[in-house]
Amino acid sequence: MLESTENLCESVTVGFAMEQPKTDWNEEVYLAQACKERFLTQSDLPELTDNGFFMAGLAELAEGYEIERVATTNHTLLLTQEGAGLLTLSERQYHLMPNTLTILPAGQPFRFELADKSKGWKMAWVLLKPTEKWLPLVANGQRVEHTHICEQVWSVMNLLHSEVGGRASYRKLFASELSRLMLGSANLAPSNSVLRVQSIFNDIESQLHLNWTVKGIAKQCFLSTEQLNRITKQLYNCSTQQRLIQLRMEKAVDLLYYQEWTIGMVAQRLGYQDPFNFTHRFRQYHGCSPREYRKRLFLVE
């Protein structure tokens, strides 16, 4: 069984040589009317920028789809979930089968299209900014690899898309997870320490009423406070204390919509036993008191 699995992996990652190298490259984009595509853009999801993404999309393609580029300024990744695509490089072609990751570094020509118009192609695509962060992923050039992350990436990108105009804390979490999956595809999965920090912040977001402290979080993650702050900075671009405040203040905005909840009740739900402390922190973060913010909410409506 192991041998057959290895042969399968080899069959999806080895391309076939073309009779003649392709030298005539053009800028082409064609989508048939049956194609469906959802975009994840920086304007809708600014958290993409923070994680080194330029743009991404979820594509369900049928009848006709062709993309050809002479050169790009961003790295292109394709993650095939169902159906098949056909990738053309200068000297080789690849059938892009389910559970494959296609890596196309910036600055090099390529063409990809439907392999069979009658069967379709379901895939996610991601454009990465040409930053140092992604160098390990693109260092080995244009290639197609077998991967187990296609379904996970599709799910995370769906969740990101569902939060357009929604909860910033969720968008940050999903963008961070998408980044983790991309790096993991290059055998650069985050350390156990990073995973522990991500996990504890997931818990914190669901239990903001508890008395969380930086020292206590570090202890639960088996890290020093310095290590915790370094990893939190890496994940969320802020200190651990700032991340705690951020989660509470963003959730406060949601809770203020419930008019039957007093300011004191909202404060307690977010871990502030003293409503005056909550009001002070809210004013620092949002520029007005919770009461003023609530009035503005319902004046607008």
Side-chain angles (χ1 to χ4, degrees):
M1 183 64 183
L2 178 60
E3 181 180 357
S4 64
T5 302
E6 290 175 347
N7 290 338
L8 173 62
C9 291
E10 184 178 0
S11 69
V12 298
T13 57
V14 176
F16 46 95
M18 300 167 61
E19 291 184 5
Q20 292 184 338
K22 179 175 172 60
T23 57
D24 56 325
W25 296 96
N26 300 290
E27 294 288 335
E28 294 181 8
V29 177
Y30 169 70
L31 287 83
Q33 289 187 359
C35 293
K36 298 178 182 179
E37 202 162 20
R38 287 172 288 159
F39 291 90
L40 283 70
T41 65
Q42 295 179 46
S43 57
D44 287 332
L45 300 161
E47 294 77 13
L48 291 177
T49 305
D50 299 335
N51 284 275
F53 298 109
F54 177 73
M55 191 187 297
L58 297 161
E60 297 179 73
L61 310 168
E63 295 184 359
Y65 180 79
E66 301 170 8
I67 301 291
E68 184 170 317
R69 301 299 308 273
V70 177
T72 60
T73 55
N74 297 290
H75 310 306
T76 302
L77 303 185
L78 311 175
L79 296 105
T80 298
Q81 190 167 359
E82 297 176 9
L86 178 66
L87 172 68
T88 301
L89 303 179
S90 295
E91 297 185 352
R92 302 187 76 81
Q93 286 186 313
Y94 295 82
H95 283 297
L96 306 180
M97 306 303 292
N99 300 315
T100 57
L101 167 65
T102 302
I103 301 172
L104 302 168
Q108 302 177 52
F110 58 79
R111 176 185 177 87
F112 52 86
E113 58 198 296
L114 276 171
D116 186 335
K117 294 181 181 180
S118 65
K119 294 183 179 179
W121 183 18
K122 182 178 178 181
M123 60 92 165
W125 55 267
V126 181
L127 303 184
L128 307 175
K129 293 182 179 181
T131 61
E132 186 176 351
K133 172 180 180 176
W134 304 116
L135 286 179
L137 183 59
V138 302
N140 293 325
Q142 295 177 316
R143 63 194 189 278
V144 181
E145 298 181 347
H146 191 270
T147 182
H148 64 282
I149 68 168
C150 292
E151 187 173 351
Q152 293 170 276
V153 168
W154 184 272
S155 298
V156 171
M157 287 174 60
N158 260 306
L159 290 169
L160 255 177
H161 187 269
S162 71
E163 289 298 337
V164 171
R167 298 161 291 189
S169 59
Y170 280 55
R171 295 198 303 268
K172 290 174 183 176
L173 175 64
F174 298 146
S176 176
E177 177 64 8
L178 185 60
S179 175
R180 186 188 72 80
L181 288 168
M182 295 295 100
L183 291 175
S185 69
N187 296 319
L188 292 173
S191 67
N192 288 335
S193 298
V194 174
L195 292 175
R196 289 199 300 272
V197 172
Q198 285 182 315
S199 178
I200 195 68
F201 273 113
N202 288 342
D203 290 341
I204 290 169
E205 190 160 9
S206 65
Q207 295 180 298
L208 291 171
H209 60 285
L210 298 182
N211 183 28
W212 296 101
T213 65
V214 175
K215 187 175 179 179
I217 295 169
K219 186 176 181 180
Q220 287 196 45
C221 292
F222 304 101
L223 298 170
S224 68
T225 55
E226 291 78 10
Q227 289 173 310
L228 173 63
N229 278 315
R230 177 178 56 78
I231 294 172
T232 304
K233 177 73 173 177
Q234 174 189 334
L235 289 171
Y236 306 107
N237 200 33
C238 61
S239 70
T240 306
Q241 185 63 37
Q242 289 170 332
R243 180 63 177 162
L244 281 170
I245 294 169
Q246 187 179 69
L247 289 173
R248 284 178 162 134
M249 292 301 103
E250 288 174 359
K251 179 56 68 175
V253 169
D254 293 335
L255 297 182
L256 286 171
Y257 273 96
Y258 297 96
Q259 295 187 75
E260 63 271 22
W261 286 25
T262 66
I263 300 301
M265 291 168 67
V266 172
Q268 286 194 333
R269 176 64 184 80
L270 297 173
Y272 294 94
Q273 300 307 312
D274 183 351
F276 294 103
N277 186 19
F278 167 65
T279 297
H280 175 70
R281 182 67 70 186
F282 190 96
R283 191 188 298 277
Q284 282 186 322
Y285 194 89
H286 291 291
C288 64
S289 71
R291 197 173 306 280
E292 291 168 335
Y293 191 94
R294 175 174 272 172
K295 285 181 181 177
R296 293 177 190 176
L297 284 177
F298 294 102
L299 274 177
V300 171
E301 293 182 356

PDB file of all heavy atoms in Angstrom, residues 5-6 8-14 97-102 143-150 185:
ATOM      1  N   THR A   5       0.973   4.375  -2.873  1.00  0.00           N
ATOM      2  CA  THR A   5       0.798   5.786  -2.509  1.00  0.00           C
ATOM      3  C   THR A   5       1.942   6.625  -3.028  1.00  0.00           C
ATOM      4  O   THR A   5       1.758   7.726  -3.547  1.00  0.00           O
ATOM      5  CB  THR A   5       0.692   5.918  -0.975  1.00  0.00           C
ATOM      6  OG1 THR A   5      -0.381   5.131  -0.523  1.00  0.00           O
ATOM      7  CG2 THR A   5       0.454   7.365  -0.581  1.00  0.00           C
ATOM      8  N   GLU A   6       3.158   6.123  -2.898  1.00  0.00           N
ATOM      9  CA  GLU A   6       4.310   6.858  -3.403  1.00  0.00           C
ATOM     10  C   GLU A   6       4.227   7.027  -4.914  1.00  0.00           C
ATOM     11  O   GLU A   6       4.552   8.076  -5.464  1.00  0.00           O
ATOM     12  CB  GLU A   6       5.588   6.123  -3.010  1.00  0.00           C
ATOM     13  CG  GLU A   6       5.878   6.195  -1.516  1.00  0.00           C
ATOM     14  CD  GLU A   6       7.075   5.356  -1.121  1.00  0.00           C
ATOM     15  OE1 GLU A   6       7.511   4.537  -1.946  1.00  0.00           O
ATOM     16  OE2 GLU A   6       7.563   5.531   0.011  1.00  0.00           O
ATOM     17  N   LEU A   8       1.496   7.180  -6.685  1.00  0.00           N
ATOM     18  CA  LEU A   8       0.462   8.173  -6.942  1.00  0.00           C
ATOM     19  C   LEU A   8       1.033   9.571  -6.799  1.00  0.00           C
ATOM     20  O   LEU A   8       0.816  10.436  -7.635  1.00  0.00           O
ATOM     21  CB  LEU A   8      -0.714   7.984  -5.983  1.00  0.00           C
ATOM     22  CG  LEU A   8      -1.809   9.070  -6.016  1.00  0.00           C
ATOM     23  CD1 LEU A   8      -2.460   9.101  -7.395  1.00  0.00           C
ATOM     24  CD2 LEU A   8      -2.843   8.823  -4.940  1.00  0.00           C
ATOM     25  N   CYS A   9       1.787   9.806  -5.718  1.00  0.00           N
ATOM     26  CA  CYS A   9       2.379  11.130  -5.501  1.00  0.00           C
ATOM     27  C   CYS A   9       3.293  11.496  -6.659  1.00  0.00           C
ATOM     28  O   CYS A   9       3.308  12.627  -7.130  1.00  0.00           O
ATOM     29  CB  CYS A   9       3.168  11.152  -4.193  1.00  0.00           C
ATOM     30  SG  CYS A   9       2.106  11.023  -2.738  1.00  0.00           S
ATOM     31  N   GLU A  10       4.068  10.530  -7.134  1.00  0.00           N
ATOM     32  CA  GLU A  10       4.989  10.809  -8.229  1.00  0.00           C
ATOM     33  C   GLU A  10       4.224  11.158  -9.496  1.00  0.00           C
ATOM     34  O   GLU A  10       4.592  12.055 -10.244  1.00  0.00           O
ATOM     35  CB  GLU A  10       5.887   9.595  -8.465  1.00  0.00           C
ATOM     36  CG  GLU A  10       6.947   9.856  -9.527  1.00  0.00           C
ATOM     37  CD  GLU A  10       7.872   8.670  -9.714  1.00  0.00           C
ATOM     38  OE1 GLU A  10       7.697   7.664  -9.026  1.00  0.00           O
ATOM     39  OE2 GLU A  10       8.753   8.779 -10.570  1.00  0.00           O
ATOM     40  N   SER A  11       3.091  10.463  -9.743  1.00  0.00           N
ATOM     41  CA  SER A  11       2.348  10.664 -10.979  1.00  0.00           C
ATOM     42  C   SER A  11       1.740  12.054 -11.070  1.00  0.00           C
ATOM     43  O   SER A  11       1.536  12.569 -12.153  1.00  0.00           O
ATOM     44  CB  SER A  11       1.233   9.621 -11.094  1.00  0.00           C
ATOM     45  OG  SER A  11       0.224   9.853 -10.138  1.00  0.00           O
ATOM     46  N   VAL A  12       1.438  12.674  -9.918  1.00  0.00           N
ATOM     47  CA  VAL A  12       0.813  13.994  -9.970  1.00  0.00           C
ATOM     48  C   VAL A  12       1.841  15.116  -9.913  1.00  0.00           C
ATOM     49  O   VAL A  12       1.503  16.262 -10.107  1.00  0.00           O
ATOM     50  CB  VAL A  12      -0.203  14.182  -8.820  1.00  0.00           C
ATOM     51  CG1 VAL A  12      -1.316  13.182  -8.944  1.00  0.00           C
ATOM     52  CG2 VAL A  12       0.456  14.096  -7.470  1.00  0.00           C
ATOM     53  N   THR A  13       3.090  14.809  -9.656  1.00  0.00           N
ATOM     54  CA  THR A  13       4.075  15.872  -9.555  1.00  0.00           C
ATOM     55  C   THR A  13       5.049  15.894 -10.728  1.00  0.00           C
ATOM     56  O   THR A  13       5.816  16.829 -10.864  1.00  0.00           O
ATOM     57  CB  THR A  13       4.893  15.738  -8.258  1.00  0.00           C
ATOM     58  OG1 THR A  13       5.511  14.450  -8.236  1.00  0.00           O
ATOM     59  CG2 THR A  13       4.019  15.893  -7.052  1.00  0.00           C
ATOM     60  N   VAL A  14       5.018  14.891 -11.581  1.00  0.00           N
ATOM     61  CA  VAL A  14       5.932  14.852 -12.718  1.00  0.00           C
ATOM     62  C   VAL A  14       5.187  15.294 -13.969  1.00  0.00           C
ATOM     63  O   VAL A  14       4.148  14.730 -14.319  1.00  0.00           O
ATOM     64  CB  VAL A  14       6.509  13.433 -12.920  1.00  0.00           C
ATOM     65  CG1 VAL A  14       7.381  13.399 -14.160  1.00  0.00           C
ATOM     66  CG2 VAL A  14       7.317  13.031 -11.694  1.00  0.00           C
ATOM     67  N   MET A  97      -4.090  17.781 -10.846  1.00  0.00           N
ATOM     68  CA  MET A  97      -5.090  16.885 -10.302  1.00  0.00           C
ATOM     69  C   MET A  97      -5.476  17.292  -8.878  1.00  0.00           C
ATOM     70  O   MET A  97      -4.802  18.121  -8.255  1.00  0.00           O
ATOM     71  CB  MET A  97      -4.553  15.452 -10.326  1.00  0.00           C
ATOM     72  CG  MET A  97      -4.072  15.006 -11.703  1.00  0.00           C
ATOM     73  SD  MET A  97      -5.352  15.142 -12.977  1.00  0.00           S
ATOM     74  CE  MET A  97      -6.487  13.868 -12.421  1.00  0.00           C
ATOM     75  N   PRO A  98      -6.558  16.729  -8.326  1.00  0.00           N
ATOM     76  CA  PRO A  98      -6.935  17.034  -6.940  1.00  0.00           C
ATOM     77  C   PRO A  98      -5.788  16.776  -5.974  1.00  0.00           C
ATOM     78  O   PRO A  98      -4.992  15.853  -6.162  1.00  0.00           O
ATOM     79  CB  PRO A  98      -8.109  16.080  -6.688  1.00  0.00           C
ATOM     80  CG  PRO A  98      -8.719  15.884  -8.035  1.00  0.00           C
ATOM     81  CD  PRO A  98      -7.551  15.850  -8.979  1.00  0.00           C
ATOM     82  N   ASN A  99      -5.725  17.638  -4.943  1.00  0.00           N
ATOM     83  CA  ASN A  99      -4.687  17.550  -3.907  1.00  0.00           C
ATOM     84  C   ASN A  99      -3.299  17.824  -4.454  1.00  0.00           C
ATOM     85  O   ASN A  99      -2.322  17.189  -4.077  1.00  0.00           O
ATOM     86  CB  ASN A  99      -4.728  16.193  -3.194  1.00  0.00           C
ATOM     87  CG  ASN A  99      -6.050  15.945  -2.510  1.00  0.00           C
ATOM     88  OD1 ASN A  99      -6.582  16.824  -1.836  1.00  0.00           O
ATOM     89  ND2 ASN A  99      -6.613  14.766  -2.712  1.00  0.00           N
ATOM     90  N   THR A 100      -3.225  18.803  -5.356  1.00  0.00           N
ATOM     91  CA  THR A 100      -1.926  19.275  -5.819  1.00  0.00           C
ATOM     92  C   THR A 100      -1.797  20.770  -5.575  1.00  0.00           C
ATOM     93  O   THR A 100      -2.781  21.510  -5.631  1.00  0.00           O
ATOM     94  CB  THR A 100      -1.688  19.000  -7.318  1.00  0.00           C
ATOM     95  OG1 THR A 100      -2.741  19.608  -8.093  1.00  0.00           O
ATOM     96  CG2 THR A 100      -1.617  17.514  -7.590  1.00  0.00           C
ATOM     97  N   LEU A 101      -0.595  21.177  -5.301  1.00  0.00           N
ATOM     98  CA  LEU A 101      -0.243  22.586  -5.119  1.00  0.00           C
ATOM     99  C   LEU A 101       0.677  22.993  -6.259  1.00  0.00           C
ATOM    100  O   LEU A 101       1.719  22.373  -6.476  1.00  0.00           O
ATOM    101  CB  LEU A 101       0.467  22.792  -3.775  1.00  0.00           C
ATOM    102  CG  LEU A 101       1.166  24.142  -3.565  1.00  0.00           C
ATOM    103  CD1 LEU A 101       0.151  25.285  -3.545  1.00  0.00           C
ATOM    104  CD2 LEU A 101       1.986  24.120  -2.274  1.00  0.00           C
ATOM    105  N   THR A 102       0.288  24.020  -6.990  1.00  0.00           N
ATOM    106  CA  THR A 102       1.096  24.562  -8.080  1.00  0.00           C
ATOM    107  C   THR A 102       1.751  25.845  -7.605  1.00  0.00           C
ATOM    108  O   THR A 102       1.071  26.747  -7.102  1.00  0.00           O
ATOM    109  CB  THR A 102       0.220  24.857  -9.314  1.00  0.00           C
ATOM    110  OG1 THR A 102      -0.436  23.658  -9.713  1.00  0.00           O
ATOM    111  CG2 THR A 102       1.066  25.383 -10.464  1.00  0.00           C
ATOM    112  N   ARG A 143       6.767  24.601 -10.052  1.00  0.00           N
ATOM    113  CA  ARG A 143       6.618  23.166  -9.812  1.00  0.00           C
ATOM    114  C   ARG A 143       5.192  22.842  -9.370  1.00  0.00           C
ATOM    115  O   ARG A 143       4.420  23.738  -9.005  1.00  0.00           O
ATOM    116  CB  ARG A 143       7.610  22.680  -8.763  1.00  0.00           C
ATOM    117  CG  ARG A 143       7.428  23.280  -7.378  1.00  0.00           C
ATOM    118  CD  ARG A 143       8.648  23.003  -6.505  1.00  0.00           C
ATOM    119  NE  ARG A 143       8.436  23.363  -5.119  1.00  0.00           N
ATOM    120  CZ  ARG A 143       8.562  24.602  -4.646  1.00  0.00           C
ATOM    121  NH1 ARG A 143       8.868  25.596  -5.471  1.00  0.00           N
ATOM    122  NH2 ARG A 143       8.367  24.843  -3.361  1.00  0.00           N
ATOM    123  N   VAL A 144       4.894  21.539  -9.393  1.00  0.00           N
ATOM    124  CA  VAL A 144       3.610  21.015  -8.921  1.00  0.00           C
ATOM    125  C   VAL A 144       3.913  19.929  -7.908  1.00  0.00           C
ATOM    126  O   VAL A 144       4.720  19.031  -8.175  1.00  0.00           O
ATOM    127  CB  VAL A 144       2.774  20.445 -10.084  1.00  0.00           C
ATOM    128  CG1 VAL A 144       1.433  19.929  -9.570  1.00  0.00           C
ATOM    129  CG2 VAL A 144       2.561  21.499 -11.163  1.00  0.00           C
ATOM    130  N   GLU A 145       3.271  20.014  -6.749  1.00  0.00           N
ATOM    131  CA  GLU A 145       3.539  19.062  -5.674  1.00  0.00           C
ATOM    132  C   GLU A 145       2.239  18.478  -5.138  1.00  0.00           C
ATOM    133  O   GLU A 145       1.202  19.141  -5.141  1.00  0.00           O
ATOM    134  CB  GLU A 145       4.283  19.748  -4.515  1.00  0.00           C
ATOM    135  CG  GLU A 145       5.645  20.288  -4.893  1.00  0.00           C
ATOM    136  CD  GLU A 145       6.351  20.934  -3.702  1.00  0.00           C
ATOM    137  OE1 GLU A 145       5.672  21.171  -2.671  1.00  0.00           O
ATOM    138  OE2 GLU A 145       7.552  21.202  -3.814  1.00  0.00           O
ATOM    139  N   HIS A 146       2.314  17.258  -4.663  1.00  0.00           N
ATOM    140  CA  HIS A 146       1.183  16.655  -3.964  1.00  0.00           C
ATOM    141  C   HIS A 146       1.077  17.302  -2.582  1.00  0.00           C
ATOM    142  O   HIS A 146       2.096  17.593  -1.954  1.00  0.00           O
ATOM    143  CB  HIS A 146       1.383  15.143  -3.828  1.00  0.00           C
ATOM    144  CG  HIS A 146       0.166  14.418  -3.366  1.00  0.00           C
ATOM    145  ND1 HIS A 146      -0.108  14.207  -2.040  1.00  0.00           N
ATOM    146  CD2 HIS A 146      -0.872  13.877  -4.055  1.00  0.00           C
ATOM    147  CE1 HIS A 146      -1.250  13.561  -1.925  1.00  0.00           C
ATOM    148  NE2 HIS A 146      -1.736  13.344  -3.128  1.00  0.00           N
ATOM    149  N   THR A 147      -0.144  17.554  -2.110  1.00  0.00           N
ATOM    150  CA  THR A 147      -0.332  18.199  -0.804  1.00  0.00           C
ATOM    151  C   THR A 147      -1.635  17.721  -0.167  1.00  0.00           C
ATOM    152  O   THR A 147      -2.539  17.244  -0.852  1.00  0.00           O
ATOM    153  CB  THR A 147      -0.369  19.738  -0.951  1.00  0.00           C
ATOM    154  OG1 THR A 147      -0.503  20.334   0.344  1.00  0.00           O
ATOM    155  CG2 THR A 147      -1.539  20.183  -1.819  1.00  0.00           C
ATOM    156  N   HIS A 148      -1.716  17.870   1.148  1.00  0.00           N
ATOM    157  CA  HIS A 148      -2.924  17.489   1.882  1.00  0.00           C
ATOM    158  C   HIS A 148      -3.726  18.711   2.321  1.00  0.00           C
ATOM    159  O   HIS A 148      -4.733  18.567   3.014  1.00  0.00           O
ATOM    160  CB  HIS A 148      -2.535  16.693   3.130  1.00  0.00           C
ATOM    161  CG  HIS A 148      -1.742  17.491   4.123  1.00  0.00           C
ATOM    162  ND1 HIS A 148      -0.398  17.750   3.954  1.00  0.00           N
ATOM    163  CD2 HIS A 148      -2.113  18.119   5.261  1.00  0.00           C
ATOM    164  CE1 HIS A 148       0.017  18.496   4.971  1.00  0.00           C
ATOM    165  NE2 HIS A 148      -1.000  18.738   5.764  1.00  0.00           N
ATOM    166  N   ILE A 149      -3.320  19.918   1.922  1.00  0.00           N
ATOM    167  CA  ILE A 149      -3.924  21.125   2.498  1.00  0.00           C
ATOM    168  C   ILE A 149      -5.014  21.756   1.637  1.00  0.00           C
ATOM    169  O   ILE A 149      -5.604  22.752   2.040  1.00  0.00           O
ATOM    170  CB  ILE A 149      -2.850  22.196   2.805  1.00  0.00           C
ATOM    171  CG1 ILE A 149      -2.252  22.750   1.506  1.00  0.00           C
ATOM    172  CG2 ILE A 149      -1.783  21.648   3.728  1.00  0.00           C
ATOM    173  CD1 ILE A 149      -1.403  23.989   1.723  1.00  0.00           C
ATOM    174  N   CYS A 150      -5.306  21.213   0.459  1.00  0.00           N
ATOM    175  CA  CYS A 150      -6.243  21.881  -0.451  1.00  0.00           C
ATOM    176  C   CYS A 150      -7.619  22.108   0.179  1.00  0.00           C
ATOM    177  O   CYS A 150      -8.177  23.198   0.090  1.00  0.00           O
ATOM    178  CB  CYS A 150      -6.386  21.078  -1.745  1.00  0.00           C
ATOM    179  SG  CYS A 150      -4.885  21.088  -2.753  1.00  0.00           S
ATOM    180  N   SER A 185       3.029  24.229   3.692  1.00  0.00           N
ATOM    181  CA  SER A 185       3.157  23.525   2.421  1.00  0.00           C
ATOM    182  C   SER A 185       4.592  23.496   1.942  1.00  0.00           C
ATOM    183  O   SER A 185       4.964  22.688   1.103  1.00  0.00           O
ATOM    184  CB  SER A 185       2.280  24.191   1.354  1.00  0.00           C
ATOM    185  OG  SER A 185       2.783  25.473   1.012  1.00  0.00           O
TER     186      SER A 185
END
